[in-house]
Amino acid sequence: MHFVAFLSLLMAMLTSTVLPDPSVAGMRIKGGAMGGGAQKSSWRLAFFGGLVTVALVLLLLADLRLSRERELMHADREMQTLGGMLERHILDTVERIDLALVTVANGYVQWVAASPSQVNRELAAWLARIPDSQSLRIADADGRFIRDATGMPPAVSVADRPYRLRLKNDPAVGLVLSEPIYARVTNNWVVTLSRRLRAVNGEFIGHVQAAINAEQFTRLFRRVVGEELNFVAILDTEMRLVAADAVINVAPGQYLEVPALVEFLARGEMRGGGVAVLPGSQVEHRLIFQRVAGLPLVLVIGRTSADILAQWWDKAAVYGICLAVLLAGLFSLVRVWLRNYRLAWRLAEEMESAYNNSERRARTLLDSIPDPAWLRDREGRFLAVNDAYLALCGKPREQVVGCLLEEVWSARRAAAFRYQDGEVLEAGARVEIAGRLRHADGVDRYYEYIRSPLRDDRGELMGVAGFARDVTERKAAEERARYLSEFDALTGVPNFSQLPGHLVRLLANRPAAHPALLCLDIDHFKNINDSLGHRIGDQVLKQLAGRISGLLADTDLLVRQGGDELVLLAAGRGGVSGVAQLAQQLLDAAMVPLLIDGRELRISLSAGIALYPEDGGDIESLLKNADAALHGAKAAGRNAYRFFEPEMNARAADRVELDARLRKAFEVGQLCLHYQPQYHLASGNMVGVEALLRWFVEGEGWIAPARFIPLAEETGLIRSLGEWVLREACQQAKIWDFAGRGLMVAVNLSAVQLASAGIVDVVAGVLQQTGLAPACLELEITESMLMANTEAAIATLAAFRQMGVKLAIDDFGTGYSSLAYLKRLPLDKIKIDRSFVCELAEAEGRDAAIVQAIIAVARKLGLRVIAEGVEEAKQAEFLKEFGCDEVQGYYYSRPLPAEGILGVLAECAGVVQKKEKNSGQLAESFL
């Protein structure tokens, strides 16, 4: 490229050969024949100089034109490559969503007999597998939504939507993509994907649809192309805008009026291009149009012409300066000769001097080129190089100019350079290649090489001129885009898209491998994110993924499916026992503490295992069954693994159904509170109650809290439930207070609630709304919750204490029980777990010793003690003997509705009055 300027200088120096020989000029002067001869010679010189000038100008203009075309072609190729990458991502997204739609459409005839909640759960399961879709719904034949993955179909109709009319009127239609529409449910711009629902007789009975948020396309643009493009957009084939990653005066759903795009769509081509000024932009863009194969979508990718040709303009400026200098020199030379031919001797001497310094001038011109440039003769000897080339090879000029290739480069590299020069000399034309070359600083860089034949004034080949452009950054950007399409950016492990292909390759290479698919999930990972922040959560994922990867074989593949879930496809380990051993190794590895920001964190894993081909013949089936097994491991208490069993799918369905029923019960007010009285052990007075959540189902009876409370904690519903329980309990306590029956009401806080950033504000708001005094509310927190993040727990409890709320630690002795932590917590009461009370009748047993120790520790720390689960008189007697302050349990009272508490209060008052009367009579008898 830039070597043309150097050739121009060489040609200018060659013009010195057309100057009259000084001896001839001298002979003419001495013979008196200067006039006519000098004039003719001067005109010949002017004519030849003009030809040289015109030739150089044409040569420079031709090279500039070719280089401009190359820059534009190169930019087009880059944009086409990025367009292809975006197309693949979009096709992958649509394919995943269409798989869910096809499955739902094929199975809907059997689902008609199922309950709405069962269909909604199935939709929710499929929606979880297509994160690119924001919804998954089923509409009936009239366009009204009747089923929804959220469990609550929106009360809107899509009967007037064009895509729904096409589905209804065309029995043979397949996947239908809508125009960009403004969603009536979610109030955002979306593109819907729909499939027809058919009855057994083929009659249209509705459709199933998913929706891709337009913002999802924008995030895809930024993830794939980054900052490389000035404009990226996706349109439908009617030129309506779906999404764009640029500021233009066109909103989603409006038409993007670009004449070149209109012509492209009219031609029906798959790929094209054009130049246009986009709406809202004042600059020209070079655009590439890319139809998305099989879909009514068009990608529009563009860069500004100024951005593309920035380097070309720099080159043109250099050429212009060189040409101006050259023309000025030539015109000055001709002017001097025309004015006085008698100066020939002096001019000849000056040109000779200039010729002697030609190498220095050539080197100066080459050094003005920022990229490596060189000239070599046919034997591979360097004639000239610039400073950039010297930096590349790491040698001084005197060890390069005049030396052969083998004296500058290694034998292998020199042989490659000779072969490439030979191709140019043999073809007599320019050759362009690309390759990697190690720089003298030891860093490998990627170059595009351009080599052209170097000819003398007779047109004969005298060597090769070369130029190398450093394209390392562009190559790195391409590699980064490819990496992001195949690997997870956070953990560095492959993403889920690589899993199906790996299974196919594994079975092809090792037919008897019998692989296993393991779904791995971090236990209580949400608590880590909520309490310590997502940055710590990301570090946990990275370290855990690295630790697991170190335990795997070369044929295994670990991928991140999303969130905190990892999926491992492991080659056969010799049967079920080998897979079980691998699963236990993974669980043990996770238990080793992680060190993050100087903090030691302990986590655990749960794993679900599905075996090929017993549990599924493809990735989708294996993943579904492994996920069901994972839920079984979590239900078993976490930090465990479970192999898939067919009944697990039934349990998973029951779990989804129970979640839907619980949410419905909460919405319609089927939940209620019961209150278990708490008594002062010495006086027998009732001093408080513990609020307990209860759920009664007509025809089924009471559902055990142990069945639905853990489910609420896992799904996040516990936040809403917990706030409702807190408000209901405080309102009831205020009612008792108005009736003159002031009681302390104890409410349990879940781990999810305690980790919430706004829990202190929630409690304060409830107290303010109900008017209950803070001293009448006692919050119970389990020991394990406090130990999970002690510093954050202390800060939250301190805020409660400052508010005036009482604090109790529940189930004490069943967790990690660190006295060093206990003394720092601002507590009022310790609650002894029922597991220590139930065997308390054995006075010499270990439980009795533990209870005595807990009470002694509480006394030293100034805390009150309450024992739960008291069911026998002997247990109460021992607790009273040990100095326990308060008790609760079936021996005293079962949990009662709010109206039953007043009766217990009245009964307690009567007992106390009777005791006081008996005490008075006994005193009188002594007197």
Side-chain angles (χ1 to χ4, degrees):
M1 302 282 284
H2 290 293
F3 68 86
V4 176
F6 180 67
L7 291 179
S8 301
L9 182 59
L10 293 180
M11 294 181 66
M13 292 190 295
L14 290 176
T15 58
S16 63
T17 60
V18 306
L19 296 177
D21 191 321
S23 61
V24 175
M27 291 171 58
R28 289 176 176 172
I29 293 172
K30 293 176 182 178
M34 175 182 173
Q39 186 176 5
K40 293 179 182 179
S41 180
S42 298
W43 282 111
R44 285 196 301 270
L45 176 61
F47 177 74
F48 187 82
L51 288 178
V52 171
T53 301
V54 172
L56 289 177
V57 171
L58 293 177
L59 182 62
L60 289 174
L61 291 177
D63 184 72
L64 283 174
R65 179 176 175 275
L66 290 175
S67 63
R68 185 178 186 275
E69 292 177 355
R70 283 194 299 271
E71 291 288 346
L72 295 176
M73 291 175 59
H74 180 74
D76 288 346
R77 286 197 299 270
E78 285 185 335
M79 290 191 287
Q80 289 170 1
T81 300
L82 292 173
M85 294 171 62
L86 287 172
E87 180 189 22
R88 288 195 297 274
H89 279 280
I90 293 172
L91 288 174
D92 290 344
T93 298
V94 172
E95 182 178 353
R96 286 193 297 270
I97 295 176
D98 190 34
L99 175 62
L101 297 178
V102 168
T103 304
V104 173
N106 291 340
Y108 184 69
V109 174
Q110 288 75 28
W111 294 358
V112 170
S115 67
S117 60
Q118 288 177 323
V119 178
N120 290 339
R121 287 196 302 275
E122 191 69 24
L123 291 176
W126 275 105
L127 180 60
R129 295 174 186 158
I130 50 174
D132 295 306
S133 176
Q134 71 176 21
S135 63
L136 186 61
R137 303 187 177 101
I138 293 176
D140 61 13
D142 296 325
R144 295 187 298 270
F145 288 114
I146 58 174
R147 303 291 182 267
D148 194 292
T150 64
M152 295 180 288
V156 299
S157 172
V158 294
D160 59 334
R161 294 295 195 188
Y163 67 85
R164 185 258 173 191
L165 297 175
R166 183 181 174 191
L167 289 166
K168 177 181 178 181
N169 299 328
D170 186 359
V173 72
L175 177 67
V176 174
L177 268 74
S178 74
E179 73 280 4
I181 58 178
Y182 191 76
R184 297 167 179 167
V185 179
T186 55
N187 296 323
N188 61 343
W189 284 95
V190 300
V191 172
T192 65
L193 296 86
S194 310
R195 277 196 174 268
R196 203 170 193 264
L197 296 179
R198 297 177 174 87
V200 176
N201 60 3
E203 180 183 355
F204 173 74
I205 58 173
H207 72 275
V208 58
Q209 77 174 47
I212 303 178
N213 189 342
E215 289 295 324
Q216 187 74 8
F217 290 111
T218 304
R219 288 190 289 271
L220 173 64
F221 297 157
R222 294 170 183 165
R223 186 173 72 250
V224 175
V225 305
E227 303 295 331
E228 292 188 29
L229 301 177
N230 303 115
F231 177 77
V232 187
I234 185 168
L235 300 85
D236 65 5
T237 51
E238 300 297 325
M239 294 194 302
R240 288 170 292 206
L241 182 66
V242 176
D245 190 17
V247 180
I248 57 174
N249 291 338
V250 179
Q254 295 182 354
Y255 292 91
L256 180 63
E257 298 292 345
V258 177
L261 179 58
V262 175
E263 296 174 3
F264 164 73
L265 293 174
R267 291 194 299 268
E269 299 173 348
M270 290 300 294
R271 179 178 290 174
V275 177
V277 177
L278 298 173
S281 173
Q282 302 298 322
V283 295
E284 180 182 81
H285 282 72
R286 190 171 183 87
L287 303 174
I288 291 295
F289 309 128
Q290 169 78 49
R291 287 181 184 266
V292 180
L295 300 177
L297 299 175
V298 179
L299 282 167
V300 181
I301 300 173
R303 290 177 61 189
T304 63
S305 299
D307 183 33
I308 296 173
L309 296 175
Q311 294 185 358
W312 181 85
W313 280 112
D314 293 341
K315 175 181 177 179
V318 173
Y319 275 22
I321 294 172
C322 294
L323 182 60
V325 173
L326 179 61
L327 290 177
L330 287 175
F331 286 138
S332 298
L333 179 64
V334 172
R335 181 182 179 187
V336 169
W337 275 92
L338 290 175
R339 186 172 59 185
N340 194 347
Y341 185 68
R342 288 176 298 180
L343 299 177
W345 288 105
R346 183 165 60 84
L347 269 175
E349 292 175 354
E350 291 178 358
M351 292 303 297
E352 181 180 3
S353 175
Y355 180 79
N356 292 334
N357 294 324
S358 62
E359 183 182 357
R360 178 182 56 82
R361 293 199 303 272
R363 185 169 68 247
T364 300
L365 183 59
L366 280 178
D367 288 343
S368 67
I369 303 172
D371 294 304
W374 65 92
L375 295 174
R376 285 196 290 265
D377 63 14
R378 297 177 66 92
E379 286 72 35
R381 192 180 304 276
F382 286 93
L383 301 177
V385 296
N386 65 353
D387 288 342
Y389 192 90
L390 295 175
L392 176 65
C393 65
K395 294 187 176 182
R397 190 177 303 276
E398 57 270 17
Q399 294 182 15
V400 177
V401 176
C403 298
L404 294 172
L405 275 166
E406 290 76 9
E407 297 173 315
V408 178
W409 296 98
S410 66
R412 182 180 62 84
R413 183 62 65 183
F417 288 159
R418 277 194 179 277
Y419 176 79
Q420 294 159 8
D421 286 358
E423 289 184 321
V424 176
L425 295 172
E426 181 178 355
R430 179 169 57 198
V431 175
E432 298 183 10
I433 62 171
R436 194 179 303 275
L437 181 64
R438 175 157 296 182
H439 199 278
D441 59 8
V443 178
D444 287 341
R445 304 193 68 80
Y446 203 87
Y447 291 94
E448 287 182 349
Y449 299 96
I450 302 174
R451 290 178 172 83
S452 294
L454 182 63
R455 303 179 184 274
D456 60 16
D457 57 337
R458 293 172 296 179
E460 296 182 1
L461 283 174
M462 57 178 293
V464 176
F467 169 76
R469 173 187 291 174
D470 190 342
V471 293
T472 305
E473 293 183 0
R474 190 191 74 199
K475 195 70 176 177
E478 294 174 355
E479 291 295 326
R480 178 63 177 170
R482 184 194 63 79
Y483 176 84
L484 291 176
S485 68
E486 298 177 358
F487 290 86
D488 177 55
L490 174 63
T491 62
V493 302
N495 59 29
F496 186 78
S497 64
Q498 296 196 40
L499 203 57
H502 186 76
L503 176 61
V504 172
R505 290 189 297 272
L506 182 62
L507 294 176
N509 297 329
R510 299 178 59 186
H514 297 294
L517 188 78
L518 290 81
C519 281
L520 308 174
D521 192 79
I522 301 176
D523 298 331
H524 302 298
F525 184 72
K526 191 175 187 305
N527 291 345
I528 296 177
N529 279 335
D530 290 343
S531 60
L532 303 180
H534 288 275
R535 187 182 67 82
I536 298 297
D538 289 347
Q539 291 298 316
V540 169
L541 279 172
K542 288 178 64 176
Q543 290 195 24
L544 180 63
R547 184 176 292 177
I548 293 176
S549 298
L551 300 174
L552 305 181
D554 294 337
T555 54
D556 299 336
L557 180 67
L558 178 70
V559 305
R560 183 185 179 198
Q561 185 178 11
D564 63 324
E565 188 167 341
L566 300 171
V567 177
L568 171 61
L569 182 61
R573 292 297 201 277
V576 174
S577 60
V579 176
Q581 184 178 1
L582 171 63
Q584 190 59 53
Q585 288 177 348
L586 299 179
L587 267 58
D588 293 342
M591 290 292 290
V592 177
L594 300 171
L595 186 61
I596 300 176
D597 292 348
R599 175 184 302 180
E600 193 175 88
L601 293 180
R602 294 180 180 272
I603 63 172
S604 62
L605 276 182
S606 294
I609 307 170
L611 302 176
Y612 178 94
E614 296 91 334
D615 301 329
D618 54 40
I619 285 296
E620 294 295 332
S621 301
L622 290 172
L623 187 64
K624 175 184 176 182
N625 292 333
D627 189 62
L630 175 63
H631 284 296
K634 288 183 175 293
R638 294 180 169 83
N639 191 25
Y641 65 86
R642 289 291 183 273
F643 284 89
F644 171 73
E645 298 173 359
E647 58 270 19
M648 286 181 173
N649 281 330
R651 288 200 297 269
D654 291 342
R655 179 179 171 277
V656 174
E657 182 183 3
L658 182 63
D659 178 49
R661 291 172 59 197
L662 178 59
R663 292 179 183 273
K664 185 68 174 178
F666 180 50
E667 292 173 4
V668 301
Q670 291 181 351
L671 303 179
C672 65
L673 292 185
H674 281 188
Y675 302 89
Q676 184 166 35
Q678 297 175 334
Y679 295 88
H680 186 266
L681 189 55
S683 65
N685 291 331
M686 191 169 88
V687 293
V689 294
E690 180 181 5
L692 301 171
L693 184 60
R694 293 293 184 262
W695 180 15
F696 182 81
V697 178
E698 195 71 34
E700 187 175 348
W702 295 99
I703 296 181
R707 184 179 172 195
F708 67 85
I709 292 295
L711 178 62
E713 291 180 340
E714 185 175 342
T715 60
L717 181 61
I718 195 66
R719 283 195 177 92
S720 300
L721 283 176
E723 186 173 345
W724 178 82
V725 169
L726 180 66
R727 183 174 287 105
E728 286 291 310
C730 289
Q731 286 177 347
Q732 185 60 54
K734 186 62 179 177
I735 292 173
W736 289 328
D737 187 40
F738 279 137
R741 303 289 188 175
L743 290 173
M744 174 82 71
V745 61
V747 178
N748 291 280
L749 281 187
S750 69
V752 176
Q753 289 178 279
L754 186 63
S756 299
I759 184 61
V760 176
D761 295 333
V762 169
V763 173
V766 168
L767 291 174
Q768 183 178 5
Q769 293 168 12
T770 60
L772 182 67
C776 294
L777 173 63
E778 181 177 87
L779 298 178
E780 293 188 0
I781 300 101
T782 62
E783 185 179 359
S784 57
M785 290 162 51
L786 297 175
M787 301 309 167
N789 188 6
T790 306
E791 298 303 326
I794 290 175
T796 302
L797 297 183
F800 286 142
R801 169 60 65 83
Q802 187 175 6
M803 191 188 305
V805 174
K806 302 298 182 181
L807 300 170
I809 182 168
D810 195 8
D811 300 335
F812 186 78
T814 62
Y816 300 100
S817 299
S818 171
L819 297 180
Y821 286 145
L822 186 62
K823 70 178 182 179
R824 299 173 55 198
L825 299 173
L827 301 173
D828 297 285
K829 186 185 294 183
I830 290 178
K831 197 169 192 178
I832 301 175
D833 187 68
R834 67 178 65 247
S835 61
F836 299 113
V837 176
C838 64
E839 301 294 336
L840 197 60
E842 300 177 10
E844 302 300 327
R846 293 185 177 182
D847 288 339
I850 292 175
V851 170
Q852 286 181 294
I854 292 175
I855 295 174
V857 169
R859 288 284 180 268
K860 291 293 184 181
L861 296 176
L863 304 178
R864 295 181 63 79
V865 180
I866 181 172
E868 64 178 350
V870 179
E871 300 180 356
E872 299 176 3
K874 288 184 178 181
Q875 295 170 349
E877 292 172 3
F878 279 115
L879 290 169
K880 186 173 183 180
E881 180 182 344
F882 295 158
C884 183
D885 299 300
E886 300 171 10
V887 290
Q888 69 180 75
Y890 283 9
Y891 176 68
Y892 293 94
S893 174
R894 290 177 176 270
L896 301 171
E899 56 270 18
I901 296 298
L902 293 177
V904 175
L905 283 170
E907 181 181 341
C908 289
V911 171
V912 171
Q913 290 175 0
K914 183 177 180 180
K915 286 184 177 181
E916 291 176 349
K917 181 178 179 181
N918 291 338
S919 299
Q921 292 174 350
L922 181 62
E924 290 176 0
S925 66
F926 277 104
L927 293 175

